[in-house]
Structures are given as C-alpha cells and as structure tokens.
Amino acid sequence: MSDSANRALVPFNIRDLSPYVAGKTIAEVRGEYNPPEISKLASNENRLGCSSNVKREVAKALEVIQDYPDPISRQLREVLAEQNKVDPSNIIIAAGSESIISILCRTFFLNNEEAITADVTFVGFFVQVNIRGVSLKKIPVTKDYRFDLDAMAEAITNRTKMIYIANPNNPTGTYITKSEFSQFMRKVPDDVLVIMDEAYFEYAQEVSDYPHSMDYDYDNVITLRTFSKAYGLAGFRVGYAIASKEIIENMMKTKLTFEPTTPAQAAALAALGDPDFIKKSKKVIEEGKRRLYQFFEEQQVAYVPSIANSVLMILPTEEQAINFMQAMLEKGVILRRTNAFGLSNGIRITVGRKKEMIHFEQSFKKVMENTKILS
Ligand SMILES: *Cc1c(COP(=O)(O)O)cnc(C)c1O
C-alpha cells in the first residue's frame, strides 16, 4: 500500500497506535538462549498455575463445544452475584477485563468526550480509548508512583465522561486508600463514570485501608475484576464488571455476543469453587514479595512497595532498563519493561514461587557482576 493510500484508509488514531509488543514466550527464550532454567515473571500471571478443579470442568464443557456459549454466562454470573452480594443484573462477563474496557469505550463515549487516567498505568486502557478516538488526559503520577487524585479531579471538564483507576495500579503496585477514594468521589460529578479496575483484588483485599469499590454505593462507579491473575486463568480470557443495572444493561448491548467461550465459563466457575487455591497463592506472593524487598534493600536497588503480585524496580535510565531486561532474558528470567505503561526506566517483576525468586536473585547477581548496568 502506498503512503497516501495508507493515509486515506486508516484513521489517524489507529495509525498512531503502537502494535502490542508481547513479552517473549518460554518457547522463544528456550529457542534463542537455551538457559538451564526459565522463569516467566513478565505478565503477572499466577506461577502456581490454576485450581486443579479446572481441567475436569473444562473437559465436560468440551462435550458441548459444537453449541454456542451462553451469551450471558448465566451460571457464572449467579455465583459471582452471590459472592459479591449483588443481583446478577449488576454483572457483565466478557473475554477478560481488556474486553470489558473495550465494551466501556464502545458503550459510553461520544466523539467529543474525553477520559482521564494516570500517565503510568495499564496500557490496555490507553489502547482502547485511542481506538475509540476520544481524547485522553494522562495525569502524572506522584513522586511515589501513585495516582494523583487531586490533579485528576481538577482535570475534570464538562467533556469528561470516564476516569480510569487501576487499584492497585499496574505496573506500580501502589494503591489509593479508603479516605482518598471517598474524598475523590465527592469531587466527581454524578455523570462521570469512575472505572475501578481491581485486577489484583484477591491479593489486595486484606490491606486495611484498601477500599473495596463494591462496598460503596456510587451509581457512577464500575468495578472491574478478572480471572487472569490470582485465579490463574489468563489463557481462558474471563473478566467481569459490576455496576448499576442500567449501566450493565447498556454494556450488554455492545458486548460481542458469545464471549467468553463455554470452556472459559466452565473454568471460571471451577476456579471459584476452590478458595484454597487463592489462599495458597496469596501466601506465596506475600513470601515472595518479602524476599524480593529484602533482596532489593541488600542490593541497594530502588523499588516500589506493592500490594499486587508484582514489584516495580526503578533503574536510573531507560538504556539501563533495556540492558538489564535483555541480560536477565539471556539467563532465562523473563521480565517486563514498563515503557508501554508510560514509565521508560522501570522493570516490572511478577512475584513467583521461591524457586523463581531464587532464579531471579542469582541471575541478577551474575548480571551485575558481569556488567556495569547499575553504575
Ligand atoms: C492484567 C490486568 C488486566 C487483565 O486483563 P484480562 O484482559 O482480564 O486478562 C486488567 N487490568 C489490569 C490493571 C491488569 O493489570
């Protein structure tokens, strides 16, 4: 396609998007570097896998795979409603929170409206808003890498339709507190939607000043949850939103009818039936974080304390972040740079089992011995 034809066909908001750069897979790293051990600590997945109940239920779902899925995930919706003490009509289930974010953008924006979020947050929101072609105000995070809610409230205009807050945030692992949330909500007009993306809720929920957005009674708040993280089902693609009946009803109109798939619905249901797996996962994450913090203290590396299952490491420059990530990759430790999330000199480390954390530490030490990455 010639350049001018390309310009004519593709709207500027799509042309300006960067293609998604996926992290390397385990198979790719094996093929390229063949390290003795590989630890994938790049995408905040659960390194414990998922509940052992999942396989059996998915096998059953395969017996009816010729039939279309239940478009409203009735059974899963009922269980989630019960668990969250809401009515099923307050819940929509889709192919991951990313799909939910896409649904939000399709459902609520008029062309001249705008959204507000932080400059360092979940890349999925940046992408879906840009696809929809509405303008996005990215408010700088505070010096300690937290959402600057005062500045975000001040940025609201009569064109603002949606505010996105990941709590805890990705890639920083930081969170907004109960009192910050209440104060902020006092400043937000009723006709502005506040998206509370709680992808890491299971890990965060016991932190004493962490607000469960579900426990508040705001008609303009939409809570997002996912099965991709603590539940260990990222490959199945199941996420959901909880909101007022009216909001959910309208989101249902723009959802792709048959997502998530039947096996995905079955997997999520099976996972909900195994709270012990979540308990075990949380314990592993707590231990892994404690270990990692201590390691970073010893190594005098700057990091950001997290209530999610990842920890953000801060390097002095972008170049050092690139070199560090590459050197670790060659040792078999797959990490995630945070440049797409708005932070060029950060590396996000997903917390894994003891085995993976030891692999990280040993590789880190070797990388630092051999190079001058941090000096
Ligand atoms: C990982 C993540 C998601 C995940 O989305 P899925 O599409 O459900 O896999 C959503 N929001 C945040 C903040 C995340 O970190």
Side-chain angles (χ1 to χ4, degrees):
M1 205 187 292
S2 76
D3 239 24
S4 63
N6 189 39
R7 259 197 297 282
L9 280 176
V10 184
F12 72 91
N13 58 310
I14 304 299
R15 219 175 342 116
D16 291 350
L17 283 174
S18 315
Y20 183 76
V21 183
K24 290 223 189 273
T25 62
I26 290 173
E28 283 170 335
V29 173
R30 189 172 294 126
E32 280 175 49
Y33 309 111
N34 198 26
E37 189 182 349
I38 298 179
S39 300
K40 187 169 185 284
L41 304 176
S43 302
N44 293 356
E45 296 134 337
N46 189 336
R47 288 277 60 94
L48 267 60
C50 66
S51 163
S52 56
N53 294 349
V54 167
K55 248 191 200 161
R56 185 182 61 235
E57 294 305 317
V58 169
K60 276 196 227 158
L62 291 183
E63 290 169 18
V64 293
I65 204 66
Q66 71 288 344
D67 295 338
Y68 277 109
D70 172 1
I72 63 164
S73 306
R74 190 182 311 267
Q75 229 186 326
L76 179 57
R77 193 153 94 137
E78 273 165 19
V79 175
L80 287 172
E82 197 174 72
Q83 195 185 66
N84 290 286
K85 301 185 182 67
V86 294
D87 191 81
S89 61
N90 296 119
I91 299 181
I92 180 171
I93 301 165
S97 314
E98 197 183 13
S99 177
I100 295 279
I101 291 170
S102 170
I103 291 168
L104 289 168
C105 292
R106 296 200 293 265
T107 309
F108 294 107
F109 284 119
L110 291 168
N111 286 339
N112 62 349
E113 292 179 333
E114 66 190 17
I116 299 174
T117 189
D119 64 342
V120 180
T121 190
F122 183 50
V123 57
F125 186 72
F126 299 158
V127 173
Q128 294 305 320
V129 167
N130 285 330
I131 289 173
R132 182 59 189 76
V134 299
S135 68
L136 176 60
K137 278 188 189 160
K138 293 182 183 177
I139 308 300
V141 289
T142 61
K143 277 204 292 288
D144 50 355
Y145 299 95
R146 304 173 70 243
F147 274 84
D148 188 341
L149 292 182
D150 289 334
M152 285 170 69
E154 271 168 40
I156 297 172
T157 69
N158 56 12
R159 289 171 56 212
T160 306
K161 172 57 72 67
M162 195 180 285
I163 300 174
Y164 173 85
I165 298 171
N167 202 36
N169 193 14
N170 175 9
T172 62
T174 55
Y175 66 105
I176 65 167
T177 63
K178 284 177 176 168
S179 63
E180 287 170 331
F181 180 56
S182 305
Q183 264 177 39
F184 177 69
M185 288 307 296
R186 255 176 252 139
K187 300 183 203 163
V188 177
D190 292 343
D191 59 354
V192 174
L193 295 170
V194 177
I195 313 306
M196 295 298 291
D197 185 341
E198 298 177 348
Y200 304 96
F201 177 79
E202 293 77 14
Y203 296 120
Q205 58 181 315
E206 269 112 40
V207 174
S208 62
D209 58 348
Y210 170 77
H212 299 190
S213 61
M214 280 300 306
D215 292 351
Y216 296 75
D217 198 19
Y218 299 113
D219 280 343
N220 56 334
V221 170
I222 305 180
T223 301
L224 268 46
R225 302 268 177 84
T226 182
F227 285 90
S228 297
K229 303 288 157 64
Y231 286 102
L233 299 180
F236 271 115
R237 316 302 306 125
V238 189
Y240 59 103
I242 311 175
S244 76
K245 189 172 173 228
E246 192 197 349
I247 284 175
I248 297 297
E249 225 167 59
N250 284 290
M251 289 173 71
M252 282 290 193
K253 296 175 191 169
T254 72
K255 179 177 96 72
L256 295 180
T257 313
F258 294 113
E259 60 175 289
T261 66
T262 306
Q265 292 179 30
L269 254 177
L272 281 179
D274 188 0
D276 282 350
F277 176 78
I278 296 292
K279 221 193 236 168
K280 203 166 91 189
S281 302
K282 285 161 71 166
K283 200 157 161 263
V284 168
I285 297 304
E286 284 312 313
E287 285 167 5
K289 274 197 288 197
R290 219 172 305 139
R291 192 183 170 104
L292 191 56
Y293 294 162
Q294 196 188 339
F295 179 76
F296 282 152
E297 300 283 350
E298 284 164 11
Q299 299 292 320
Q300 299 186 313
V301 171
Y303 70 94
V304 182
S306 159
I307 66 164
N309 68 333
S310 63
V311 177
L312 178 65
M313 170 181 160
I314 308 290
L315 289 106
T317 67
E318 173 167 20
E319 193 193 353
Q320 285 165 322
I322 293 170
N323 293 340
F324 176 73
M325 206 204 76
Q326 180 58 32
M328 291 295 279
L329 195 60
E330 289 168 23
K331 301 257 177 274
V333 181
I334 315 175
L335 303 172
R336 185 85 159 121
R337 281 185 60 219
T338 56
N339 52 317
F341 296 74
L343 186 70
S344 61
N345 60 334
I347 300 274
R348 192 189 63 196
I349 300 132
T350 301
V351 177
R353 296 165 295 183
K354 190 170 175 187
K355 165 175 177 286
E356 280 116 7
M357 301 324 284
I358 291 173
H359 186 199
F360 172 87
E361 291 166 16
Q362 289 176 343
S363 306
F364 182 106
K365 285 183 183 161
K366 280 186 212 145
V367 164
M368 293 306 167
E369 266 168 31
N370 297 340
T371 60
K372 295 260 180 286
I373 284 172
L374 287 190
S375 51

